[in-house]
Amino acid sequence: MSRAGLAGWDSDGRVTRSPRGRLPDRPLQGCAAATDGDRVWLVRYSGTGSGTFLPRITSSTGEVVSRPGPVHAPDGFAVRGNRAVMAVRNHNRPSAELVRAESDGAGRAVTDRRAIRLPGRVVMHCGQGRDGFLWLRAGNTWLRTRA
């Protein structure tokens, strides 16, 4: 069931949420995810080559809303309210670009871009967004950035 999107089960194995046709039938081809309270955000490729999208799933209601994303293929993503931060690694280098964005109603508009040096290479797709903080793995170190 999770092949087509976010699904959840309780400790007894009963389905507590499922996509119920609200997301594509093919795998999401996602590259990052984040939580913000009872909301789960995904960064997924369109599958048609038209960029990335940011679906938001509200766990308590099952509501799914998807908007275009401002960054192609981020390795990490975190959300807090209307603010977001995304990390894009520089391949084979100990650096990344942090991109900050805010909701503009139709999607997220970039408000800041900043290159950062890191203690090692960013591990591909190893950024974890948890309740407004981006945890990014670089080498043997985890770095924390607020959205």
Side-chain angles (χ1 to χ4, degrees):
M1 205 175 346
S2 65
R3 177 178 167 260
L6 184 70
W9 295 266
D10 65 16
S11 60
D12 294 324
R14 290 185 295 266
V15 174
T16 58
R17 79 181 154 270
S18 69
R20 291 189 286 271
R22 293 171 298 198
L23 295 170
D25 289 333
R26 64 189 172 281
L28 283 176
Q29 302 171 353
C31 51
T35 62
D36 183 27
D38 76 334
R39 294 177 174 176
V40 176
W41 291 83
L42 304 173
V43 178
R44 71 170 185 86
Y45 303 115
S46 68
T48 62
S50 60
T52 57
F53 288 85
L54 305 174
R56 180 193 75 210
I57 300 127
T58 304
S59 298
S60 59
T61 65
E63 174 191 27
V64 176
V65 176
S66 186
R67 303 275 191 262
V71 174
H72 178 72
D75 290 287
F77 172 65
V79 177
R80 178 165 298 215
N82 69 339
R83 296 183 324 266
V85 64
M86 293 164 227
V88 180
R89 69 191 171 100
N90 291 320
H91 299 280
N92 296 318
R93 295 196 174 140
S95 62
E97 179 181 38
L98 284 184
V99 179
R100 295 191 179 278
E102 289 191 18
S103 177
D104 65 3
R108 297 217 174 245
V110 173
T111 59
D112 185 48
R113 290 181 181 267
R114 186 168 309 195
I116 58 170
R117 296 222 19 100
L118 301 167
R121 292 183 299 177
V122 174
V123 177
M124 185 172 159
H125 304 307
C126 203
Q128 308 290 325
R130 297 290 179 260
D131 294 322
F133 289 97
L134 171 61
W135 292 87
L136 186 64
R137 185 170 170 210
N140 291 326
T141 305
W142 285 92
L143 301 135
R144 184 176 86 158
T145 302
R146 181 184 295 261

